[in-house]
């Protein structure tokens, strides 16, 4: 089991993107969006000034370093909130997680056969992946950088922690879940609904 991805929503996309690139050393994979009615994607090397002149409307910005993939999407919150966490599972882990979700009557959605989303009913979603070639390629970079800890500010840390731990069958306490090599901690005094990004530790 490996936590390799998280999807952030914020009204300050450019500032958040700049932090990952400038301070943390992430690479820009691509910015995806529209020009008029046409879907468009631009890799690193095309500036925001150029994109603005083209009339580009951002849908999401994808960033990557080592085995960590971060997506930033425009939204209403100045401080980034987490829409979902992406996890790479082996076949047995994947099947057990889906079975637990169905037993708990959680909504499970498949997107184009590539991604399976589970709504936790705790303010965030999980994107679950069984083994895939492209994930193997990404995780092969784990020696370069991994996510050691992810801290999320939440209104009900115990609920959000228990939901994640039970769905994944992972060890957890009142506020922390061990997801593979990553500790996910929910800290108090956060917003209702989607948890707020509080801190990250990369190794």
């Amino acid at each position: 089991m490996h936590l390799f991805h998280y999807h952030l929503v914020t009204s300050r996309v450019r500032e958040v993107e700049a932090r990952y690139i400038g301070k943390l050393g992430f690479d820009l994979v691509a910015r995806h969006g529209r020009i008029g009615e046409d879907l468009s994607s631009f890799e690193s090397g095309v500036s925001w000034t150029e994109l603005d002149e083209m009339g580009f409307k951002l849908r999401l910005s994808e960033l990557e370093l080592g085995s960590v993939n971060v997506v930033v999407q425009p939204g209403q919150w100045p401080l980034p909130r987490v829409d979902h966490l992406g996890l790479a599972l082996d076949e047995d882990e994947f099947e057990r997680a889906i079975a637990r979700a169905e037993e708990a009557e959680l909504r499970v959605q498949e997107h184009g056969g590539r991604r399976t989303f589970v709504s936790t009913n705790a303010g965030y979603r999980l994107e679950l992946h069984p083994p895939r070639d492209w994930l193997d390629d990404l995780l092969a970079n784990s020696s370069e950088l991994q996510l050691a800890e992810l801290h999320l500010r939440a209104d009900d840390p115990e609920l959000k922690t228990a939901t994640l731990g039970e769905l994944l069958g992972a060890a957890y306490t009142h506020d922390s879940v061990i997801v593979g090599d990553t500790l996910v901690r929910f800290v108090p005094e956060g917003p209702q609904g989607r948890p707020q990004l509080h801190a990250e530790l990369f190794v």
Side-chain angles (χ1 to χ4, degrees):
M1 185 182 305
H2 192 97
L3 174 56
F4 73 95
H5 163 75
Y6 43 106
H7 187 115
L8 304 175
V9 182
T10 177
S11 61
R12 300 170 62 187
V13 169
R14 299 189 190 190
E15 292 93 329
V16 172
E17 179 194 89
R19 171 182 176 267
Y20 281 98
I21 295 172
K23 292 187 177 180
L24 300 176
F26 276 64
D27 295 320
L28 175 65
V29 176
R31 298 181 181 114
H32 306 282
R34 289 182 179 273
I35 297 177
E37 297 301 316
D38 298 325
L39 293 174
S40 302
S41 295
F42 295 91
E43 297 180 0
S44 180
V46 182
S47 70
W48 277 113
T49 300
E50 293 172 283
L51 293 175
D52 290 340
E53 290 173 352
M54 296 179 201
F56 177 73
K57 301 298 182 185
L58 182 72
R59 182 174 64 86
L60 56 86
S61 177
E62 183 179 3
L63 307 146
E64 201 166 275
L65 181 60
S67 63
V68 183
N69 177 277
V70 176
V71 164
V72 187
Q73 173 186 327
Q76 66 188 47
W77 302 288
L79 295 177
R81 296 199 192 181
V82 171
D83 175 80
H84 64 265
L85 303 174
L87 298 115
L89 311 173
D90 65 28
E91 291 286 359
D92 289 342
E93 289 170 338
F94 179 79
E95 290 176 6
R96 288 196 294 267
I98 296 301
R100 292 187 196 100
E102 291 173 346
E103 184 177 352
E105 299 183 347
L106 299 175
R107 186 178 183 186
V108 178
Q109 293 177 290
E110 290 190 10
H111 285 253
R114 293 190 67 250
R115 300 184 295 169
T116 300
F117 283 99
V118 175
S119 297
T120 63
N121 293 342
Y124 61 94
R125 299 181 298 160
L126 300 181
E127 180 183 339
L128 304 180
H129 292 271
R132 303 185 189 280
D133 290 342
W134 65 268
L135 262 178
D136 290 341
D137 293 340
L138 176 67
L139 300 182
N141 295 323
S142 62
S143 60
E144 181 181 345
L145 180 136
Q146 295 186 65
L147 178 65
E149 295 189 20
L150 180 65
H151 295 199
L152 305 174
R153 193 174 291 281
D155 61 323
D156 191 340
E158 291 192 21
L159 170 64
K160 287 176 166 57
T161 301
T163 298
L164 181 61
E166 290 173 8
L167 186 55
L168 296 178
Y172 69 94
T173 65
H174 69 286
D175 67 352
S176 301
V177 185
I178 302 298
V179 182
D181 295 326
T182 304
L183 182 143
V184 179
R185 172 170 287 134
F186 291 94
V187 299
E189 299 181 6
Q192 291 185 339
R194 290 172 174 160
Q196 188 179 88
L197 180 65
H198 180 62
E200 302 141 301
L201 175 63
F202 301 103
V203 296

